[in-house]
Amino acid sequence: MTRLLVATATSIVLVPPATGVALRAAGPAATSQQSTAGVAPAPRSANTAESPSEQTLVTRYCLGCHNGRTKAGGFVLEGLDPTRAADHAEDWEKVVRKLRGGLMPPAGRPRPDEPTYLRLRSSIEGQLDRASQAKPDPGRTEVAHRLNRLEYTNAIRDLLAVEINGADMLPADDSSYGFDNIAGVLKMSGALMERYLGAARVISRLAVGSAPPAVGTSVYRVSAEVQQHERLEQLPYGTRGGTLIRHVFPQDAEYDFRVGVSGRGGPTPQQLELSIDGERVKLFTVSGREQPEFRVPVTGGPHDVAVAFLRTTPDLVEQVREPFANPDAPSGTGGQAGVVTAVTSVTIAGPHHASGSGDTPSRRRVFTCTPTAPAQEARCARTILTTLARRAYRGAVTTAQVDVLARFYEQGRKDGGSFENGIELALRRLLVSPEFLYRIEADPAATDPSAAGGVYRINDLELASRLSFFLWSSIPDDALLEAAARGGLRTTAGLLGQVRRMLADPKAHTLAENFGGQWLLIRNMPTTRPGENYALNFDDTLRYAMQRETELLLDSVIRENRGVMELLTADYTFLNERLAQHYGMRGIQGSHFRRVPLPADSPRRGLLGHGSILTVTSPAIRTSPVIRGKWVLNNILGTPPPDPPPNVPALNDRRTQAKVKTVRERLAQHRANAVCATCHSMIDPTGFALENFDAIGRWRTVDESYNPIDASGQLPDGSSFNGVTELRASLAARPERFAHTVVEKLMTYALGRGVEAYDMPAIRKILRDTAGSGYRMQDLMLGIAQSYPFQYRRMPSTAQQAANKGQ
């Protein structure tokens, strides 16, 4: 027993005592006080003075299902020695994952008491961690990692100060492991290369300020489901409706503007204002269906174009029935404030009568020098191209690389007749360079001493690139490149300083939008379409507000370095008037978001009460405890269930005059089937806890067929709950589970590959190091940046080297 006690004495676990939650060390003194509520008592050993051995526990509680004959879940433990876990690390990591989530033994089966359960898990983890420490494996990332669409868009912004809409230029990327930045699926095809060539042509022209080949026209459409009876966020006070557009004007010139207006508000004249960067440039009167068109001069570069109606006192809307919230509902009521005249589109065409390229942010970024004589042009061009290449290629630039760009400059200078034409062609070549489109991490030579043992530490510039794409989804800035060049990322203080600086930068908001959007699935909100009666009270204004609420919560927890559990238990949220009305909360007015405190009994606390989560995990016409339960298992507990077998029949959603069964009653047929019961007994209960929320996240006490809601259930570890508040409390009682999930998701996102069994010891080390501070978000990210998989890389195997030579 000495070895077992040493292994557990260093593990920190959260245990639920009889009253409250306390942080304890998993050792003899602590485990005697741990609660075993909700856990089936284990059979006692004949010798009660000694706890059962690991092999005894595995034989007693696991081999009944996971033997060579039954092979439950396709997993066999028979023949594996739990005291030699490192010999089969991949298999035992699967066991640890199930034990951490409390999934095994399954509900209804005998399981050991809580101290014994934790001791077995700690013993296996300890063996795996010690084996990893003796022979660590950082895994192997792809040599060439293509930038995905968002990373490309951000890189263009940070390299050239040119703002583009990546979706207009490039197709969506494939996803794997839940994210679209996984190197293994980001391949290049001939068709995609054509898109990159086309994008480079447009971007280089915008950056330099060259005249476009023809007058361009951009049409910005406004959905009919956008509420336009109140002021929209970021638009001037005293206005209502309209839209805000970020448009890049290629040159100093005149541009045509055409505003599409709906006539649903009747013939009453309305004053419509067009402003650029907050300055009014046109005020005109519209009535009925009109498309006013006018031409105004605009300087080149990105500008905020706002179109909005001047606000007037609205008519009192009196109806027998409460109007639907969706302004485009078939009833024609026009939303909660009645029918109003609305902006439907804005068209911008130009340039006309251009007077020059202007003083744009992109020209200031590109032209770091300006030749005053032809003899100075070649040297200035080389200075410009060297500076741009250093940023674009994320590090040291060789003379040969600059020579390639210089040759394109010379060709463009010759064909176009000007210095700027030469820079434009060289820039176009730079934007399709493999060094820009790919994050390249080349292996050292096999004889290099740094690669001894088949593992090497990536160089400082590669580390800087990994950091920037992790925290910003973009290229490193000059400060990060300079820190890498002087070795400032090799010290803990230097790395910590850069991580803190980067997280304080506005560009770090991409973590909430990009990482959070994919992890929590809220990036699916724009394509979510509620059906039937739900659509009448669901509109694009609400859709945006729901997604924004979740992004702001995640961004707040990251920027303020709060504990990760605040994502589940936050006593505040971020609301505007439209979302507050949807939640049934009073006293919140205006389209701007603000932090709102929540009472202790509010069901809206944390992610489980967010409308975005509840909507994307629901089918169009009803709720789904299965989808919601799977979301909790995957994204909260980190124990995704296996895929369902083929040809599983859907639930019968037909409605008749007869009493309709509840979703719980209809799902009982799955749990009655032995093949389905194993998974559904884990999935369904957490989904049932969210049944008080309908398919678009509104609170309810009866379902679609007016059956009373039964929100009771039980976690796989035996913890019982009734409703979302008690489910949240049960999850909060074991914060290490959720923290492990967050670190695992962050590690996948940061490395651009799926995490494997050999990564788990590094994840557990991060959790041990941050447990004392409550798993603060920035601390978790710093732990990832310092981790072995993030800073090291495995050399290719002999088979991989042979395959590479054959290509």
Side-chain angles (χ1 to χ4, degrees), residues 42-125:
R44 292 296 180 183
S45 170
N47 182 5
T48 57
E50 182 178 346
S51 298
S53 67
E54 295 96 321
Q55 186 62 64
T56 300
L57 292 171
V58 170
T59 302
R60 183 180 299 168
Y61 298 105
C62 306
L63 293 189
C65 297
H66 299 288
N67 56 62
R69 183 175 57 85
T70 57
K71 300 179 182 179
F75 184 65
V76 178
L77 272 175
E78 191 173 17
L80 301 184
D81 185 352
T83 63
R84 299 179 60 86
D87 294 347
H88 298 86
E90 186 172 350
D91 292 322
W92 286 109
E93 284 291 358
K94 294 177 182 178
V95 173
V96 168
R97 181 181 294 274
K98 296 295 185 181
L99 294 176
R100 185 180 65 250
L103 300 182
M104 290 294 163
R109 303 279 297 188
R111 64 167 57 199
D113 57 50
E114 188 75 356
T116 304
Y117 194 91
L118 292 175
R119 194 164 58 244
L120 174 63
R121 193 191 84 188
S122 297
S123 172
I124 299 172
E125 287 180 344

Side-chain angles (χ1 to χ4, degrees), residues 17-29:
T19 57
V21 178
L23 187 65
R24 304 185 189 275

